[in-house]
Amino acid sequence: MIRNYPEGVTSWIDVEQNDVEGAKTFYGGLFGWTFSDATPPDSPFRYAIAQLDGKDVAAVGGPTVAAPTRESAWNTYVAVDDAHAAAERVTAAGGKIVEPPTPAGEGGISVVCTDPTGAQFRLWQAKRRPGAQVTNTPGSWNFSNLHASDSTTAIAFYTEVFGWAFDDIGYATMIRQPGYGAHLAATVDPDIYERQSSELVPPGFSDAIGWLAPVQDGEPPHWHVAFTVADRDETVTTAERLGATILTTDDTDWTKDALIRDPQGAVFTASQFTPPDD
């Protein structure tokens, strides 16, 4: 079954790099990804789809010829039914359109936006490419989390644009798209409610699409990408061998995390799920 995403759900991630081949070497070595080019050979811009076990998980984009002036960063896309209508909602709610609705070949239509706090995100109206086909397994996307400088403004904006709910569960603020769990149960994850029936799982977690956190000192507002890994410490060792910098490591009640800067400067989190016993 092809996984699709209802409007308002984070659906895709990609990273912009100066050296696409270098990025493929790094992420292929770290997560076991394989790649196929989605752009024609004569295009000035390359877009390589990353796959895990033959299923789309992310992408690497960049110039055909390495150009070291590009700032490397991971991008998060939110699924929408109508890119033009969604772009209008973004501006009406106080956000800005950086790049207007633009066809991405036959894959879909993208829009580059910033929220009122300055965090950049993208809209994706899917056509041939509905979004990530594998998530929450080792080597794949876990969550995209909003690091906000002004949580009140951010919450008001995303609630107006996408209808999101923000739940303070004590140790974190969960971002939900109401109804997403029912969509998953009816499509690719029929056992989701049974699997999340533990008292330790917060109510509404089946609808979760990310987390809201304050920015750290010196950190700009942004959407931060986290990947699931089987072993945080092994991932750290491999990342360092491949040329990455380990910025921090952290153990929580639920995860063992590492904040990693890849060789070209894009920052992400590698997260090992270590839940407490019931």
Side-chain angles (χ1 to χ4, degrees), residues 1-3 12 32-36 49-58 129 131-135 137 139-140 188:
M1 176 182 293
I2 295 176
R3 179 172 181 169
W12 185 242
W33 293 351
T34 57
F35 296 87
S36 60
I49 303 296
Q51 294 189 319
L52 189 65
D53 298 326
K55 295 184 178 181
D56 296 355
V57 290
R129 294 194 179 277
Q133 296 301 297
V134 179
T135 61
T137 61
S140 70
V188 296

Side-chain angles (χ1 to χ4, degrees), residues 8-274:
V9 173
T10 48
S11 61
W12 185 242
I13 53 171
D14 60 22
V15 64
E16 297 181 6
Q17 299 276 27
N18 298 310
D19 179 357
V20 173
E21 288 302 315
K24 289 166 61 176
T25 297
F26 174 76
Y27 287 102
L30 188 66
F31 295 138
W33 293 351
T34 57
F35 296 87
S36 60
D37 280 338
T39 46
D42 59 350
S43 172
F45 181 83
R46 292 185 63 190
Y47 198 75
I49 303 296
Q51 294 189 319
L52 189 65
D53 298 326
K55 295 184 178 181
D56 296 355
V57 290
V60 175
T64 302
V65 178
T69 57
R70 176 181 290 269
E71 182 178 355
S72 298
W74 278 96
N75 305 303
T76 295
Y77 294 71
V78 181
V80 294
D81 296 333
D82 184 323
H84 290 82
E88 290 179 358
R89 294 200 305 273
V90 167
T91 56
K96 295 181 180 179
I97 303 303
V98 180
E99 295 181 10
T102 304
E106 297 180 355
I109 299 172
S110 68
V111 187
V112 181
C113 314
T114 58
D115 70 21
T117 74
Q120 188 178 110
F121 66 98
R122 303 186 176 198
L123 308 175
W124 182 247
Q125 180 185 335
K127 292 185 178 180
R128 288 186 56 188
R129 294 194 179 277
Q133 296 301 297
V134 179
T135 61
N136 300 319
T137 61
S140 70
W141 181 27
N142 174 226
F143 277 119
S144 286
N145 303 316
L146 176 59
H147 291 199
S149 58
D150 181 344
S151 60
T152 300
T153 297
I155 289 171
F157 171 78
Y158 289 104
T159 300
E160 181 174 346
V161 175
F162 299 121
W164 290 351
F166 292 78
D167 298 343
D168 183 350
I169 58 175
Y171 57 86
T173 298
M174 180 170 60
I175 307 173
R176 294 188 300 111
Q177 177 60 300
Y180 184 39
H183 170 83
L184 291 172
T187 55
V188 296
D189 194 354
D191 300 325
I192 186 170
Y193 292 123
E194 178 181 358
R195 194 175 62 255
Q196 296 181 2
S197 61
S198 167
E199 293 183 357
L200 295 175
V201 177
F205 186 68
S206 61
D207 293 334
I209 61 169
W211 301 88
L212 174 66
V215 295
Q216 302 300 309
D217 290 343
E219 180 186 43
H222 70 287
W223 278 91
H224 183 81
V225 172
F227 295 95
T228 300
V229 297
D231 188 307
R232 188 271 312 273
D233 296 335
E234 287 186 6
T235 300
V236 163
T237 299
T238 302
E240 288 183 314
R241 176 176 56 79
L242 292 168
T245 301
I246 309 305
L247 301 177
T248 62
T249 58
D250 182 43
D251 293 1
T252 74
D253 291 339
W254 289 87
T255 61
K256 296 176 68 175
D257 300 325
L259 187 65
I260 301 172
R261 179 185 290 122
D262 76 18
Q264 298 188 57
V267 177
F268 62 93
T269 291
S271 184
Q272 175 187 349
F273 186 47
T274 55

